[in-house]
Amino acid sequence: MAMSQAANYVEKAVGHQDKAVTEQDMTNPARDRAKYADPSGETMKALVWMGKNDVQVIDAPKPRVIEPRDVILQVTGSTVCGSDLHLLHGSVVEMQKGDILGHEFCGKVLEWGSAVTKFKKGDRVVASFQIACGECMYCKQKLSSQCERTNDNTIENAMYGGRTAGMFGYSHFTGGFAGGQAEYVRVPYGDVNLLPLPDNVPDEKGLYLSDVLCTSWNCVVDTGVKEGDVVAIWGAGPIGQMAAEMSFTNGAKRVILIDGGPAAWRLDFVKEKIPKIETLNFSTLPKGQSVTSMLKEMEHGGPDVALECVAGEYAKGWAHYFEMLLGAETDTSEILNEMITSVKSYGRCGITGVYVGYTNHFNIGSLMERGVRLIGNGQAPVHLYWEKLLSMIKEGKTDPLMMLTHRVDVSELDTVYDIFNKRGDHMQKVFVQTKFSDPAAPGTPSLTTYKK
C-alpha cells in the first residue's frame, strides 16, 4: 500500500510525457465537475476505491462528453473480476481515493461526440476493457491492449520498457479512466472500443466479451494449445473455467484443473459444468506429494501445457508472504515454479494472471535446462478476438452462462466485493444490474439481495 502511494507521488512529481491522445487521470467526474461532470447535475450510483480493502457505493456525478470521439453509455451490465481484487488489496500501484472501478461492462448508447457517426441512441454495445485509438502500430494489428496512445503513465513505461493501453477502472498506472461499475460511463474513442450486440445475444452473454472470454481465449491460443495436448490450469475461477472449455475446443486431450483452500469448491463447480475435466486440490495432497509430483503421476513427463489463471499476489509459503509484505518483491514466483517444473521438457507455460512487478526465487535453471517456453500472454487484445467470440456465442460453440452464478444490483457492489474476495456464497461470476438493465434473460440467475 505504501508503495502504491509512493508511486502516486513520483508520478505527480515526474509528470506525464503528454503523448496520450485522450484525457488522462479522469477517474471520477467529481475531480473537476466543471470539466468532466454533466451540466444537468445528475448523479449516479458508482463503486469507488477508498483505500486498501475499502470500496464504497456512492453518488457520483454523471460524466459528460469531453472529446469528439466520446460515447456516454447507460450501463446495463457489469461484473466483478479477480483482477478487481488486486485493486481492492492495494496490489496495483497508483490507486487514489474516489477512483471509480470496473473494467467489464456493456450498455446502451445515450450521447456521443461530434466525430462519432456509427451509433444511434439506444444501441446495445459491449466495451473492451482496454481503450484503443484504432490508429497506432498495435491497433492496426488489433493488438488493442498495447495501444501506444491512450496511456501516458511514466512509471509504467519505466518499469516495463513500454506501456499498455489505457484501461477502464484500473488505476492511474493505466491512464486513470473511470470504470463501468456505475450507472453511466464515458467511453473514449467510443467508435473503436464498443462492439454492437445483436438482439439474439442478451447482456448476460455479451457482457463477458469485454474481458473474461477474450482473456481466456487469448490464454489458450497464445500459449499454443493444440490437438492432443494435455493441459494443466492453475486457478478454477472464471478465467480458468473458460480456458478449460476453450482448451477442449482447440483439441486438448486432457485438461487438469488445480485449485484449493477457500476456493476448492470451484473445482466441483467446474467439474459439474465440464464433466471431462480432471481436478487437483492442492490443499488435500497426500503427505510427501506436491502439485508437480501429482501431475507427473497423472501424466507421464507432466502436461504439455501449463496455464496460469490466478495472479502473482497470492503467496502460498511464508518466505514470499514476508518478502511481499516488506516490499522485497511484488509478486510470488511459486505458481510459476510449479508450472515450469511440472510440464514436459520443451513444454509451454502461459501467464494470464496479473503480475505487476518483480519476483524472487524464480527457477530459471529448469526453464533454461529443460527448454521450457515461458509465455507472458499479456493483457488480452480484445479487439483481435471479440468478433470471432461473438460468432461462437451465437453459434452455441461457447456459453458464458456456464460461469454465471449470481445477479446483483449495483447498489450492493461493496458487499459483493467482500463476498467475492472471501470466495463466499459459491460466487463464481456475477452480473451486476442497474436501473437501465433489461429483465433477466431466460436461464440466467434471478436477483440476489444481500442488504436487508
Side-chain angles (χ1 to χ4, degrees):
M1 186 60 195
M3 185 183 298
S4 179
Q5 297 311 309
N8 277 318
Y9 291 130
V10 171
E11 184 72 28
K12 186 175 181 179
V14 174
H16 295 325
Q17 295 182 352
D18 296 323
K19 292 183 178 179
V21 293
T22 186
E23 187 80 10
Q24 305 285 284
D25 299 313
M26 200 285 284
T27 52
N28 187 325
R31 297 201 182 281
D32 187 339
R33 289 173 182 264
K35 186 174 182 181
Y36 301 136
D38 191 89
S40 68
E42 183 179 351
T43 61
M44 64 178 181
K45 296 294 183 188
L47 185 84
V48 298
W49 188 88
M50 295 301 289
K52 185 175 180 179
N53 296 320
D54 183 7
V55 293
Q56 299 175 20
V57 177
I58 67 167
D59 290 321
K62 173 189 171 185
R64 69 189 299 173
V65 170
I66 62 173
E67 295 171 342
R69 296 175 71 175
D70 284 354
V71 172
I72 304 296
L73 296 185
Q74 295 173 323
V75 177
T76 57
S78 65
T79 188
V80 181
C81 175
S83 298
D84 291 320
L85 297 182
H86 310 319
L87 304 177
L88 177 69
H89 300 155
S91 300
V92 175
V93 299
E94 293 194 67
M95 293 297 297
Q96 296 179 15
K97 285 187 177 182
D99 289 352
I100 298 175
L101 304 182
H103 59 275
E104 299 175 84
F105 56 90
C106 61
K108 296 175 182 176
V109 173
L110 178 64
E111 302 165 4
W112 53 91
S114 59
V116 177
T117 58
K118 64 186 292 186
F119 298 119
K120 64 181 185 298
K121 187 174 181 177
D123 281 351
R124 294 176 55 242
V125 291
V126 60
S128 64
F129 75 87
Q130 59 236 206
I131 300 164
C133 73
E135 299 161 359
C136 71
M137 173 179 70
Y138 292 112
C139 287
K140 287 177 180 177
Q141 303 173 71
K142 294 195 173 182
L143 301 177
S144 48
S145 61
Q146 305 303 318
C147 177
E148 298 175 293
R149 304 170 70 215
T150 57
N151 177 15
D152 210 20
N153 188 275
T154 303
I155 291 178
E156 189 184 44
N157 189 58
M159 285 179 64
Y160 297 164
R163 300 180 184 85
T164 63
M167 297 178 192
F168 289 104
Y170 216 76
S171 89
H172 298 259
F173 193 66
T174 61
F177 295 90
Q181 288 171 350
E183 292 177 321
Y184 295 98
V185 66
R186 166 185 166 260
V187 180
Y189 284 81
D191 52 337
V192 174
N193 296 299
L194 296 170
L195 180 71
L197 291 175
D199 292 340
N200 61 347
V201 175
D203 286 351
E204 290 90 342
K205 292 185 179 183
L207 163 65
Y208 302 108
L209 291 165
S210 189
D211 179 358
V212 58
L213 294 179
C214 294
T215 295
S216 302
W217 185 258
N218 181 63
C219 176
V220 170
V221 300
D222 190 56
T223 314
V225 174
K226 64 182 187 303
E227 190 76 29
D229 276 343
V230 175
V231 180
I233 300 175
W234 274 254
I239 299 293
Q241 179 181 358
M242 298 310 297
E245 185 211 32
M246 291 169 173
S247 291
F248 283 125
T249 299
N250 280 272
K253 178 174 63 177
R254 298 173 67 191
V255 174
I256 304 166
L257 193 59
I258 304 155
D259 213 321
W265 61 266
R266 302 190 302 191
L267 295 170
D268 294 330
F269 174 83
V270 179
K271 177 77 172 175
E272 182 181 342
K273 303 293 183 179
I274 313 173
K276 59 184 174 179
I277 68 158
E278 302 162 62
T279 61
L280 180 57
N281 186 338
F282 66 73
S283 54
T284 59
L285 295 174
K287 187 176 181 180
Q289 293 276 32
S290 65
V291 169
T292 293
S293 65
M294 290 296 295
L295 288 171
K296 301 281 189 182
E297 286 186 12
M298 296 173 75
E299 172 68 20
H300 179 69
D304 302 287
V305 177
L307 303 177
E308 202 281 5
C309 299
V310 185
E313 72 158 295
Y314 301 108
K316 295 167 74 174
W318 287 110
H320 285 281
Y321 173 82
F322 283 113
E323 288 179 16
M324 292 169 68
L325 188 66
L326 296 170
E329 65 176 3
T330 58
D331 304 276
T332 174
S333 59
E334 290 159 295
I335 291 177
L336 302 183
N337 287 340
E338 284 183 353
M339 293 165 59
I340 290 166
T341 56
S342 295
V343 295
K344 292 181 175 71
S345 294
Y346 300 102
R348 305 180 300 285
C349 299
I351 308 172
T352 282
V354 172
Y355 286 72
V356 297
Y358 303 96
T359 189
N360 300 326
H361 316 295
F362 178 68
N363 195 345
I364 194 169
S366 178
L367 185 80
M368 182 270 155
E369 296 289 352
R370 300 197 307 116
V372 176
R373 272 58 175 164
L374 183 64
I375 302 163
N377 300 129
Q379 296 287 351
V382 170
H383 295 193
L384 186 63
Y385 303 124
W386 61 354
E387 291 173 336
K388 175 183 176 69
L389 289 166
L390 177 58
S391 295
M392 289 174 64
I393 291 172
K394 291 192 291 186
E395 295 165 8
K397 293 180 179 178
T398 191
D399 184 8
L401 296 186
M402 72 161 56
M403 62 181 169
L404 182 59
T405 55
H406 293 71
R407 184 185 186 95
V408 298
D409 192 78
V410 66
S411 63
E412 298 199 348
L413 263 175
D414 48 355
T415 301
V416 170
Y417 261 68
D418 183 59
I419 295 169
F420 189 61
N421 184 42
K422 295 174 179 175
R423 307 291 190 263
D425 201 24
H426 284 199
M427 185 180 284
Q428 179 75 331
K429 196 67 173 174
V430 301
F431 179 89
V432 182
Q433 69 173 28
T434 73
K435 63 185 179 182
F436 301 117
S437 300
D438 294 328
T444 66
S446 57
L447 182 67
T448 298
T449 301
Y450 293 104
K451 296 180 181 179
K452 305 300 182 185

